[in-house]
Amino acid sequence: MSDASGTPGEPDDAPRRARRTRSMRESLGSIVLGFELVIVFLGALVLFGLKSLPAAVALGGGAVLIVLMIIAIGLLRYPIGVIIGWAVQLIVIAAGLLVPAFYIVGAIFAAMWTYVMIVGGRIDHRDRLARQTHPGQSHPGMEKPE
């Protein structure tokens, strides 16, 4: 059967599971890590192309770092995800030992990561305070999923 929206196999009155509300810190952190993931992929190709490292080390190391970033994105709601994110920033900066341009790339992403962690944390703290002082009222950034 299908409901009014045409979704097969789902009755009209089936309750929808509410999505978990992501914190601002988690949302912004995942954006920074997502963009950095693309840069790390391209950076691994640069290390391979310049023969700065053996192919297995350059591409394997890049793959390990990309997997770490994906894990960090998935775990950003927990403190361990933030710690992994900081470790990723240090590793990208350390890649400057291989190709000096990575110092610049690493510094830019570390600055963005630092900004996101500080400002996102402030926004989340402000939202928690607003929820405590005015329970039941809707505040910007605290919309309920439909």
Side-chain angles (χ1 to χ4, degrees):
M1 310 284 187
S2 69
D3 63 4
S5 67
T7 307
E10 192 175 308
D12 293 339
D13 58 350
R16 294 192 180 189
R17 195 175 83 182
R19 291 184 68 180
R20 182 181 66 81
T21 303
R22 294 175 60 171
S23 69
M24 187 60 66
R25 188 178 192 188
E26 181 182 354
S27 295
L28 295 175
S30 64
I31 291 168
V32 169
L33 285 175
F35 281 117
E36 191 171 12
L37 190 143
V38 172
I39 299 303
V40 165
F41 171 73
L42 296 173
L45 293 178
V46 166
L47 288 173
F48 168 71
L50 293 176
K51 296 183 180 14
S52 298
L53 292 173
V57 176
L59 299 177
V64 168
L65 192 53
I66 287 170
V67 168
L68 269 177
M69 290 174 161
I70 292 170
I71 291 170
I73 289 170
L75 295 175
L76 273 177
R77 75 179 88 162
Y78 307 109
I80 189 68
V82 175
I83 292 168
I84 294 170
W86 282 111
V88 164
Q89 304 313 312
L90 294 176
I91 293 168
V92 173
I93 291 171
L97 295 170
L98 303 169
V99 175
F102 285 125
Y103 283 129
I104 297 168
V105 171
I108 290 170
F109 276 105
M112 286 193 297
W113 179 258
T114 302
Y115 180 79
V116 160
M117 291 297 109
I118 292 170
V119 173
R122 283 183 189 162
I123 292 170
D124 293 337
H125 180 70
R126 183 200 66 200
D127 288 347
R128 275 192 303 275
L129 287 177
R131 258 187 264 123
Q132 289 172 355
T133 57
H134 305 291
Q137 288 184 346
S138 179
H139 298 281
M142 296 178 32
E143 292 81 18
K144 295 179 183 175
E146 294 181 20

